[in-house]
Amino acid sequence: MATKRRTEPLTPRTSAARVTVKDVAKLAGVSLGTVSNALNRPTLVAPDTLAKVQAAVDQLGFVRNSAAHQLRGGRSNSFGAIVVDASNPHVAAAIRGLEDAIHTRGASLVVCSSDGSADRERRYLQMLEEQRVQGIVITPVDRGVRRLEALRERGTAVVLLDHASAAGDFCSASVDHALGSELSARHLFDRGHRRIAFVNGPLNLRQCSARRRGARRAAATAGLNPDDAIVELNLTSISALGEVPALIEKVCAAPRGERASAVLCLDDAVALVVLRVLAEHRLRVPRDISVIGYDDVAYAALLAPALTSVRQPTYELGQAAGQLLVAEIHDGYHVHQHLNFQPELILRESDSARARLNRYDPRGG
Amino acid sequence: MATKRRTEPLTPRTSAARVTVKDVAKLAGVSLGTVSNALNRPTLVAPDTLAKVQAAVDQLGFVRNSAAHQLRGGRSNSFGAIVVDASNPHVAAAIRGLEDAIHTRGASLVVCSSDGSADRERRYLQMLEEQRVQGIVITPVDRGVRRLEALRERGTAVVLLDHASAAGDFCSASVDHALGSELSARHLFDRGHRRIAFVNGPLNLRQCSARRRGARRAAATAGLNPDDAIVELNLTSISALGEVPALIEKVCAAPRGERASAVLCLDDAVALVVLRVLAEHRLRVPRDISVIGYDDVAYAALLAPALTSVRQPTYELGQAAGQLLVAEIHDGYHVHQHLNFQPELILRESDSARARLNRYDPRGG
DNA sequence: AAATGTCATTGACACGATTCAATGACCTCG
DNA sequence: CGAGGTCATTGAATCGTGTCAATGACATTT
């Protein structure tokens, strides 16, 4: 799989002795305290002394040891993020937002993927606390937050990321999952749809039950009976794409008067499969049936028809989490906030301007 | 955009005084040294003493201060990664691999996005060196690696990530971009294609020129004249998707005998647009014309027709970079290695089993 | 010129964990 | 009984930086 190519025959480890303030002081001909002042409170030191110190620093390549700094000062300058999987695109965007938020404070971010393992989460929490990070943004593996409460008790700020545990006494930043599906369902009902199919995930997942709640709310708001207006089709797992065709076939096979005129999808990947199955059935989108995705991945806009989808402000989510953390650390006292970000419906071509109620044309014309 | 909801009226900052080994020692009725031994070399200490120390640790919630540990021991237990943008899916996957590689050593990873800014890169390098990270994996912003050489001279290991500077005297891990397009082009030539279009990015980008090189190499291997066999269509920017339709129209408009029978794409997003434009021209894929993407994004397999694409082993890339780093740190002396990862052609439906040479049927039948 | 004040610099101490030579307790063997 | 050995424990020294009270040099005021 990988090609190794050898280049240099051998490189001795030039373990150059680390240079300390003491070395700098000696070279500059001043005392340790003066070097420290020059570095941290330059106004206190005479201009020419400053120059000498600066020269010595440059010449020796001195780099301050932040461990010693931290030991003296009592406080590190880094933060931690514990997420389920940092390679998930959503999560990666949130982490990026978080990184930017704390980078403006000159701090750095330790990224940890728990992989859903409570054990891995615990190990990472331990490591971060040992490092005396100022704060941790975490999507906890399980509901128990006792450990996090103890952590904060001991002085580490904690903010929950996309975890609806309003129970826990923490700041939190999340996306309003219920609102996401409410927006798209409402949009469809407003346009005249009276019966929509909803390909959702298993309802024991928080997001999925929230999504269901939102859709039903939209139906109720439109004066419809949710049980009639929404055909619920639940996958047994969030990634069980293979089950989608069968579910959609069921939709297509429904009697004329009852066939759903739109399909709400768990995510854009599901929407893609839905589009394919509908095409196989010679149903035109959006003319015969509307389709709305979720996530607004990069390719949604490139499809034919371009996919209407729900965008989640994940970068902003992470950024806000970082700001909450900074606020919690800065404020002497503190009011816990729950920031609930609103997803946004991105209208494109895959939903019809007006539902052609339950007309079914097998020739696709 | 965000909804604030206030919950707790006010939370006093319970700044519990940090507990140190001294406190533990006092409570356990032993000396500092014994506590330290109990924690780090438990075999040296008597079982019942061990139990007493353990009890004191638990009762007080002692967590070791890694700054002090590091200060004494001289070495931190963390690594740094400086990439252009950690939210890019490729990069996120590589970072995840890196994280896993060093997590097995009980170390943690500081993630830094340079955003292509030399200034940001410099600030992050400074921070990481102050933290005395054991090593840094970096995709440098520019070609200059002087700063990195100085860094290593001062004792920090450095590995280059997906940066073809074989010039620099560093370990590196990269993906063989030339091979990626060579594989897909060779596949097409093997199947009988004699003239293919290649939608590439601007050639001043390393990856793009490498890709061109690979495609031409494949043509030459097949005994063809690269200038005839490959119709080069270059975007002015790597993200200029808007230019794609015009380029493809040019392909379609070519005289019968000269029309390319396949399109190689810069990435899967481009491939998606290509598929759409071809459909508008009533060209069937793969029957009339083949299409091959690049990146193998999640949705490639879901398209109709499922997209043949080139997968890059990005997770493994990051993982390998981490292992190189660890090796460089561990080995007393060290041979620099350049690991060049091979992309993989994932065959699906969008390329024809055999090219139907230049047949053009405007009715799509 | 003495008194007061300003400014720059100094150096001992603190931070918290680890290490190691030294000490003490206890056992064993001759 | 004493010499020698094993085992557990001790506490002072150390890592590199920041802090602060103290010192000294020099200028200003009366």
Side-chain angles (χ1 to χ4, degrees):
Chain A
M1 167 160 288
T3 321
K4 290 187 184 184
R5 184 151 52 93
R6 294 179 179 266
T7 49
E8 296 276 310
L10 186 143
T11 304
R13 285 277 287 161
T14 56
S15 188
R18 280 294 192 182
V19 21
T20 75
V21 276
K22 198 183 284 186
D23 303 316
V24 174
K26 196 179 299 174
L27 179 60
V30 297
S31 76
L32 280 70
T34 301
V35 174
S36 182
N37 284 335
L39 295 175
N40 305 304
R41 291 129 64 171
T43 57
L44 290 189
V45 33
D48 50 344
T49 314
L50 199 66
K52 276 192 300 186
V53 172
Q54 196 51 256
V57 165
D58 291 346
Q59 184 180 332
L60 295 174
F62 168 79
V63 177
R64 141 169 109 201
N65 184 329
S66 71
H69 172 82
Q70 180 189 151
L71 183 56
R72 185 65 232 266
R75 168 161 267 189
S76 85
N77 200 20
S78 52
F79 291 79
I82 304 184
V83 295
V84 175
D85 175 14
S87 68
N88 173 297
H90 279 307
V91 174
I95 286 178
R96 188 65 163 78
L98 180 56
E99 183 199 332
D100 289 353
I102 68 173
H103 181 66
T104 63
R105 286 180 40 99
S108 61
L109 180 67
V110 179
V111 173
C112 314
S113 300
S114 69
D115 259 346
S117 145
D119 193 58
R120 229 175 122 137
E121 177 184 283
R122 191 157 31 78
R123 282 210 303 277
Y124 269 130
L125 275 173
Q126 175 81 20
M127 286 173 53
L128 292 177
E129 192 176 3
E130 287 184 359
Q131 290 182 32
R132 298 291 189 272
V133 294
Q134 293 197 36
I136 295 178
V137 169
I138 183 172
T139 304
V141 167
D142 48 34
R143 301 202 158 239
V145 289
R146 278 213 326 279
R147 201 183 300 276
L148 298 178
E149 281 163 356
L151 180 66
R152 187 177 49 195
E153 209 61 34
R154 275 176 261 130
T156 306
V158 175
V159 166
L160 265 32
L161 184 69
D162 210 14
H163 184 264
S165 161
D169 178 24
F170 294 98
C171 281
S172 71
S174 357
V175 171
D176 191 335
H177 296 296
L179 183 60
S181 53
E182 183 178 3
L183 284 175
S184 31
R186 188 203 300 167
H187 173 74
L188 292 173
F189 291 135
D190 284 354
R191 297 300 185 96
H193 292 262
R194 287 293 167 264
R195 190 175 179 76
I196 66 179
F198 186 6
V199 181
N200 200 356
L203 293 178
N204 57 344
L205 292 182
R206 282 196 324 278
Q207 304 101 308
C208 297
S209 58
R211 296 270 286 274
R212 174 174 190 265
R213 203 163 53 241
R216 293 175 67 87
R217 200 159 56 201
T221 306
L224 301 171
N225 177 354
D227 292 328
D228 293 339
I230 302 173
V231 181
E232 296 188 22
L233 307 168
N234 294 306
L235 304 177
T236 59
S237 142
I238 205 166
S239 55
L241 281 177
E243 302 173 2
V244 174
L247 295 177
I248 296 300
E249 309 248 337
K250 249 179 20 191
V251 172
C252 296
R256 292 206 172 190
E258 294 171 23
R259 185 167 68 67
S261 59
V263 183
L264 242 53
C265 301
L266 174 67
D267 58 32
D268 289 345
V270 167
L272 204 41
V273 177
V274 168
L275 287 176
R276 201 175 58 192
V277 175
L278 291 176
E280 285 165 6
H281 281 75
R282 299 267 184 271
L283 283 175
R284 297 230 186 137
V285 176
R287 186 170 165 160
D288 303 319
I289 189 166
S290 295
V291 174
I292 297 186
Y294 206 98
D295 278 356
D296 192 34
V297 297
Y299 62 85
L302 302 176
L303 295 173
L307 185 65
T308 290
S309 189
V310 175
R311 192 184 93 87
Q312 306 186 53
T314 42
Y315 177 89
E316 291 81 358
L317 181 71
Q319 203 178 25
Q323 286 160 355
L324 284 176
L325 213 45
V326 170
E328 176 160 347
I329 290 159
H330 249 58
D331 300 357
Y333 57 91
H334 181 67
V335 180
H336 286 301
Q337 292 184 350
H338 297 278
L339 262 42
N340 212 358
F341 277 80
Q342 303 190 351
E344 188 185 358
L345 182 64
I346 310 288
L347 294 175
R348 296 206 179 86
E349 304 166 357
S350 67
D351 66 299
S352 67
R354 175 153 290 278
R356 290 157 53 90
L357 297 174
N358 299 326
R359 275 203 58 211
Y360 183 81
D361 179 351
R363 281 175 299 111
Chain B
M1 162 162 292
T3 320
K4 290 187 184 182
R5 185 152 52 94
R6 294 179 178 266
T7 50
E8 296 276 311
L10 186 141
T11 305
R13 285 279 287 164
T14 56
S15 188
R18 281 295 192 180
V19 21
T20 76
V21 275
K22 197 183 286 184
D23 303 316
V24 175
K26 196 179 299 173
L27 179 61
V30 297
S31 77
L32 279 71
T34 301
V35 175
S36 181
N37 283 336
L39 295 174
N40 304 305
R41 292 129 64 175
T43 57
L44 289 190
V45 35
D48 50 343
T49 315
L50 200 67
K52 277 192 299 184
V53 172
Q54 195 52 256
V57 164
D58 291 344
Q59 184 179 333
L60 296 174
F62 168 78
V63 177
R64 136 170 116 200
N65 184 328
S66 71
H69 173 83
Q70 180 190 151
L71 183 55
R72 185 62 230 262
R75 167 159 268 191
S76 87
N77 199 21
S78 54
F79 292 78
I82 304 184
V83 296
V84 176
D85 175 14
S87 68
N88 174 297
H90 279 307
V91 175
I95 286 179
R96 187 66 165 77
L98 179 56
E99 182 198 334
D100 288 352
I102 68 173
H103 181 68
T104 63
R105 286 182 38 100
S108 61
L109 179 66
V110 179
V111 172
C112 314
S113 300
S114 70
D115 259 346
S117 145
D119 193 57
R120 233 177 117 134
E121 177 183 283
R122 190 156 32 78
R123 282 210 303 276
Y124 269 129
L125 277 173
Q126 175 82 19
M127 286 173 52
L128 292 177
E129 192 176 3
E130 287 185 358
Q131 290 182 34
R132 298 291 189 272
V133 293
Q134 293 197 38
I136 296 178
V137 169
I138 182 172
T139 305
V141 168
D142 47 34
R143 303 203 158 239
V145 289
R146 277 213 327 279
R147 200 183 302 275
L148 297 178
E149 281 163 356
L151 180 67
R152 187 177 49 195
E153 208 61 34
R154 273 175 263 131
T156 306
V158 175
V159 166
L160 267 30
L161 182 70
D162 210 15
H163 185 264
S165 160
D169 178 23
F170 295 97
C171 281
S172 70
S174 0
V175 171
D176 192 334
H177 295 295
L179 183 59
S181 52
E182 183 177 3
L183 284 175
S184 33
R186 189 202 302 166
H187 172 76
L188 292 173
F189 291 135
D190 284 353
R191 298 301 184 96
H193 292 263
R194 286 291 167 268
R195 190 175 179 77
I196 67 180
F198 186 7
V199 181
N200 200 356
L203 293 177
N204 56 345
L205 292 181
R206 281 196 323 278
Q207 303 101 310
C208 297
S209 58
R211 298 268 288 273
R212 174 175 190 264
R213 201 163 54 243
R216 292 174 68 87
R217 200 159 55 201
T221 305
L224 302 171
N225 177 354
D227 293 326
D228 292 339
I230 301 173
V231 181
E232 295 188 24
L233 307 168
N234 293 307
L235 303 177
T236 58
S237 142
I238 205 166
S239 55
L241 281 177
E243 300 173 2
V244 173
L247 295 176
I248 296 301
E249 309 248 337
K250 245 172 34 187
V251 171
C252 296
R256 292 204 173 192
E258 294 172 23
R259 186 168 66 70
S261 59
V263 183
L264 241 51
C265 301
L266 174 66
D267 57 32
D268 289 344
V270 167
L272 203 41
V273 176
V274 168
L275 287 176
R276 200 176 59 192
V277 175
L278 291 177
E280 285 164 9
H281 281 76
R282 299 264 184 272
L283 283 175
R284 296 232 187 136
V285 175
R287 186 171 167 161
D288 303 318
I289 188 166
S290 294
V291 174
I292 297 186
Y294 206 100
D295 278 356
D296 192 35
V297 297
Y299 63 84
L302 304 176
L303 295 172
L307 186 65
T308 290
S309 190
V310 176
R311 192 185 93 89
Q312 306 186 53
T314 42
Y315 177 90
E316 291 81 357
L317 180 71
Q319 203 177 25
Q323 286 159 355
L324 285 177
L325 211 44
V326 169
E328 176 159 352
I329 290 160
H330 249 59
D331 300 357
Y333 58 91
H334 180 69
V335 180
H336 287 299
Q337 292 183 350
H338 297 277
L339 262 40
N340 213 357
F341 277 81
Q342 302 190 353
E344 187 184 357
L345 182 64
I346 310 289
L347 293 176
R348 297 208 181 85
E349 306 165 356
S350 67
D351 67 298
S352 67
R354 173 151 292 279
R356 289 158 54 87
L357 295 173
N358 298 328
R359 274 204 57 211
Y360 182 82
D361 178 349
R363 282 178 298 114

